[in-house]
């Protein structure tokens, strides 16, 4: 588990919107939107989201919106990151696998709350940038360049799997890597009709609950 310290002044240059005050405002917005987990809110208050996007967009880092990160992908909307993290942040969840590293922001939020974080990204260029950020912030995150569909069998079972790209349903290969009692949080459904679901693995199978409508980039096969 990691504690964030305030970013150095060099990381704050250029725009008032990268200030702590902008971040505080974002947190109030998340709270007003129904995010109740104080630990999640505190982590997001401390984590410099502007370090996960291109400098040209840094002034928009604390708007509650998804932003482009290149290669046709996006850093997720802060509200959705908070909602997904809150859905995972329950007793006995310590070892989490994320599919879709992207900018690395969601993985960084997870690293502050959970003992072990693994993340898989199919686009090499994005993963390399994300790894640089993990090093800069001294985050303990294990990452690999692969098609998330195969999961990470050598490190399974996981207490939880979080997908940040959407598909019609989650493959059994991945579901099998979650321990009994563990959870999956994932956007499922076709473009324009995605729902964020939380599935819990019981001894007799999976139960499913809906956490609301969301809009994610599609899950794509293979690596790039
Ligand atoms: N969690 C990210 C969100 C990035 S968007 C963040 O906080 O920034 C979703 C990411 O999922 C994209 O980077 C995309 O390349 C990746 N992705 C899509 N299909 C994938 C797959 N099959 N395996 C691994 N990553 C995938």
């Amino acid at each position: 588990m990691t504690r964030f310290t305030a970013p150095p002044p060099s990381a704050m240059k250029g725009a008032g919107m990268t200030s702590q005050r902008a971040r505080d405002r974002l947190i109030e917005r998340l709270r007003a939107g129904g995010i109740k987990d104080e630990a999640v809110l505190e982590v997001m208050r401390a984590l410099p989201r502007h370090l996960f996007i291109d400098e040209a967009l840094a002034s928009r880092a604390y708007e509650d919106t998804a932003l482009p990160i290149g290669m046709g992908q996006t850093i997720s909307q802060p509200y959705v990151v908070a909602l997904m993290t809150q859905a995972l942040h329950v007793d006995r969840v310590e070892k989490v696998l994320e599919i879709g590293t992207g900018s690395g922001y969601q993985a960084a939020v997870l690293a502050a709350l959970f003992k072990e974080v693994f993340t898989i990204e199919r686009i090499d260029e994005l993963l390399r940038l994300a790894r640089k950020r993990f090093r800069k912030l001294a985050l303990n995150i294990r990452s690999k360049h692969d098609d998330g569909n195969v999961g990470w069998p050598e490190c399974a079972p996981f207490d939880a799997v979080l997908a940040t790209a959407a598909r019609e349903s989650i493959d059994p290969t991945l579901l099998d890597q979650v321990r009994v009692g563990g959870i999956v949080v994932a956007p499922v459904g076709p473009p324009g009709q995605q729902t964020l679901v939380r599935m819990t693995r019981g001894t007799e199978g999976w139960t499913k609950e809906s956490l609301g409508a969301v809009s994610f980039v599609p899950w794509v096969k293979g690596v790039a």
Side-chain angles (χ1 to χ4, degrees):
M1 270 164 274
T2 318
R3 283 263 143 244
F4 298 109
T5 48
S10 63
M12 310 279 281
K13 69 171 188 285
M17 283 308 285
T18 57
S19 70
Q20 187 61 53
R21 207 154 53 89
R23 236 179 283 168
D24 290 345
R25 270 199 300 270
L26 172 63
I27 298 311
E28 287 323 306
R29 198 185 153 121
L30 300 182
R31 204 192 295 279
I35 304 300
K36 292 191 173 65
D37 189 319
E38 289 298 329
V40 173
L41 291 169
E42 275 319 303
V43 167
M44 291 181 67
R45 189 196 299 281
L47 183 61
R49 186 169 182 256
H50 62 279
L51 299 185
F52 291 81
I53 55 181
D54 194 86
E55 250 180 68
L57 285 171
S59 65
R60 301 190 57 197
Y62 301 103
E63 291 176 18
D64 188 22
T65 180
L67 292 167
I69 54 170
M71 313 295 289
Q73 307 304 319
T74 55
I75 181 172
S76 306
Q77 179 191 352
Y79 177 77
V80 175
V81 171
L83 187 65
M84 293 194 296
T85 310
Q86 175 173 273
L88 291 179
H89 194 219
V90 295
D91 277 355
R92 304 203 311 112
V93 172
E94 298 190 330
K95 185 177 171 188
V96 181
L97 171 65
E98 178 195 32
I99 311 297
T101 317
S103 68
Y105 179 75
Q106 171 75 69
V109 171
L110 296 176
L113 291 163
F114 301 100
K115 217 181 237 166
E116 289 182 89
V117 176
F118 301 75
T119 184
I120 306 177
E121 172 57 54
R122 64 176 292 276
I123 301 178
D124 191 42
E125 198 172 321
L126 292 180
L127 185 60
R128 279 197 272 126
L129 285 172
R131 280 179 174 155
K132 270 195 198 159
R133 296 170 181 135
F134 297 158
R135 273 197 298 274
K136 185 170 180 174
L137 293 166
L139 296 172
N140 179 22
I141 295 169
R142 290 180 64 185
S143 61
K144 72 166 175 169
H145 177 224
D146 206 344
D147 182 335
N149 214 29
V150 301
W152 205 321
E154 311 88 294
C155 298
F158 298 95
D159 298 323
V161 170
L162 169 63
T164 68
R167 59 184 316 192
E168 300 277 344
S169 65
I170 305 294
D171 220 80
T173 326
L174 209 46
L175 295 179
D176 287 347
Q177 293 179 30
V178 177
R179 69 159 166 84
V180 171
I183 50 190
V184 171
V185 172
V188 293
Q193 290 170 50
Q194 300 165 9
T195 309
L196 189 65
V197 297
R198 174 165 61 184
M199 302 191 292
T200 306
R201 183 171 192 175
T203 43
E204 314 269 308
W206 292 82
T207 53
K208 191 159 137 183
E209 64 190 296
S210 168
L211 302 175
V214 283
S215 177
F216 276 82
V217 295
W219 182 298
V220 181
K221 273 198 180 145
V223 294

